[in-house]
Amino acid sequence: MKKLIILFSLLASQVSLIAQIQAPKELIQFYTQEWKGERFPDGRPKVPDEIVKRLANVSIEEAWGIMRGDGYNNQFEGNFQIIHPEKPLVGRVLTAQYMPSRPDMEKPIKEKGKAEGRKGASNSWPIDVLQINDVYVADGYGKIIDGTLIGDNLGNSIYAKSKTGVVFDAGVRDLEGLSAIDGFVGFTRGYDPSAIKDMTMTCINCPIRIGRASVLPGDLVLGKPEGVIFIPAHLAEKVVNRAEFIALQDEFGHKMLRENKFTPGEIDMKWSEPIKAAFREHLKTRSGKVYLTAEQIEAFLSKE
């Protein structure tokens, strides 16, 4: 009986998505219930800014491997056209879902948006609710021609509000203007001079699909030249901490091999106590900040 009540409650929330434009807070909390920390007023998990910042130094492969170990096998998507590929894209996900237009669906959405005081076309509505360190992630079902969700005007607005960029399973226009926005990083399916046509924005902060990845509002996104990976909020700190430890291990291992202090076999196998002791000394003398505490490092070493 309890399961039926939860199911009916969820279905009722899903039915109300269009009516509310933005997904109800209860639905976001339902899908992200493993997150136990602070949330935004809209219900999205609020992963701390420090974790978001540190994520920029994590590699796609490290994040992917750590999440695979926890059973998250569908979090990566590649094959994007990238604006400013030399810069990583990191931030908290704000999702938007687009669908092919049909008059009987588009009309009530526009009327509801007007009643809620939303301005302009529906593809600008998600931009209005962006926060600093948010990344606008949109399921545009791969449409490029007449599927350009933004041009340089909306791109400037996105960057002004979030200081990050976008991930679109769709196209963009005004590539020259978007590329001129210093700091704006965009992952899109392609570029086209056409304007958006026959597409309707149906929901803000719903679960969406980006290629082969499932994406929830409040996930962290990491974008690098290989593609983008979406990290569940409740795994974000674990991924960042574990990845930083792996990076420290690799740095130390490379140094030891260059100096012929240990053999490749010794570095690549379970570390001996002398190697662990050398690693601790290396951490004392290396330049650069180590975010992990001594206790966290010892916990990782005990598992090696």
Side-chain angles (χ1 to χ4, degrees):
M1 186 64 181
K2 185 177 180 181
K3 289 183 178 180
L4 284 174
I5 292 172
I6 293 173
L7 176 61
F8 286 134
S9 176
L10 176 58
L11 288 174
S13 295
Q14 289 176 322
V15 168
S16 69
L17 289 180
I18 299 300
Q20 296 191 36
I21 305 298
Q22 181 155 312
K25 179 163 57 174
E26 293 76 16
L27 188 64
I28 297 172
Q29 292 172 334
F30 174 83
Y31 282 115
T32 61
Q33 57 191 275
E34 292 196 43
W35 170 255
K36 306 303 181 184
E38 185 181 358
R39 291 179 181 267
F40 286 102
D42 62 13
R44 287 184 302 143
K46 188 177 182 180
V47 176
D49 286 331
E50 180 183 303
I51 298 297
V52 177
K53 178 182 177 181
R54 289 163 59 191
L55 182 63
N57 296 318
V58 173
S59 75
I60 292 287
E61 289 76 13
E62 287 165 353
W64 181 85
I66 295 164
M67 287 195 293
R68 288 270 289 190
D70 279 348
Y72 287 81
N73 303 319
N74 303 298
Q75 302 307 121
F76 174 80
E77 175 66 2
N79 301 312
F80 287 97
Q81 300 291 316
I82 309 174
I83 301 170
H84 291 306
E86 74 281 4
K87 300 177 180 179
L89 175 65
V90 294
R92 306 180 190 92
V93 168
L94 183 140
T95 66
Q97 182 183 68
Y98 289 81
M99 296 178 69
S101 295
R102 49 181 286 171
D104 58 344
M105 180 174 68
E106 188 168 357
K107 181 181 177 181
I109 290 175
K110 287 182 176 179
E111 290 175 348
K112 181 63 177 174
K114 184 177 180 180
E116 293 178 353
R118 300 180 188 271
K119 306 295 184 183
S122 64
N123 62 313
S124 70
W125 297 350
I127 301 171
D128 295 336
V129 295
L130 286 171
Q131 310 275 334
I132 292 292
N133 286 332
D134 280 349
V135 175
Y136 178 9
V137 180
D139 175 4
Y141 54 94
K143 187 177 182 181
I144 299 173
I145 300 172
D146 297 333
T148 53
L149 300 186
I150 63 167
D152 55 3
N153 284 338
L154 294 185
N156 273 283
S157 180
I158 289 169
Y159 190 71
K161 291 177 178 292
S162 68
K163 304 302 180 187
T164 58
V166 302
V167 178
F168 289 166
D169 191 3
V172 297
R173 66 196 304 263
D174 299 324
L175 176 60
E176 186 174 355
L178 290 171
S179 299
I181 305 171
D182 186 28
F184 179 89
V185 183
F187 287 75
T188 77
R189 292 306 188 191
Y191 316 116
D192 199 77
S194 59
I196 186 171
K197 180 181 178 183
D198 295 329
M199 295 179 78
T200 301
M201 198 283 298
T202 55
C203 185
I204 299 170
N205 278 335
C206 314
I208 62 171
R209 189 190 83 170
I210 299 295
R212 58 188 169 112
S214 294
V215 187
L216 292 180
D219 283 352
L220 291 196
V221 59
L222 171 63
K224 293 198 170 182
E226 304 96 315
V228 295
I229 195 161
F230 299 97
I231 303 167
H234 69 280
L235 288 181
E237 186 170 3
K238 175 180 179 178
V239 167
V240 169
N241 285 346
R242 177 63 181 166
E244 287 178 349
F245 179 74
I246 293 171
L248 289 172
Q249 278 186 306
D250 289 343
E251 172 191 272
F252 166 76
H254 297 164
K255 183 174 185 289
M256 294 298 101
L257 292 172
R258 287 194 302 269
E259 296 175 358
N260 289 317
K261 296 208 174 156
F262 296 102
T263 68
E266 289 175 306
I267 290 295
D268 286 341
M269 66 184 295
K270 183 178 175 65
W271 280 4
S272 64
E273 286 305 319
I275 293 180
K276 290 181 181 180
F279 177 67
R280 294 184 185 101
E281 288 303 312
H282 165 74
L283 294 180
K284 294 177 183 177
T285 59
R286 70 181 293 277
S287 60
K289 182 176 177 60
V290 176
Y291 289 95
L292 297 173
T293 66
E295 291 77 13
Q296 288 172 323
I297 288 171
E298 289 303 318
F300 281 126
L301 282 175
S302 68
K303 297 174 183 177
E304 291 301 306

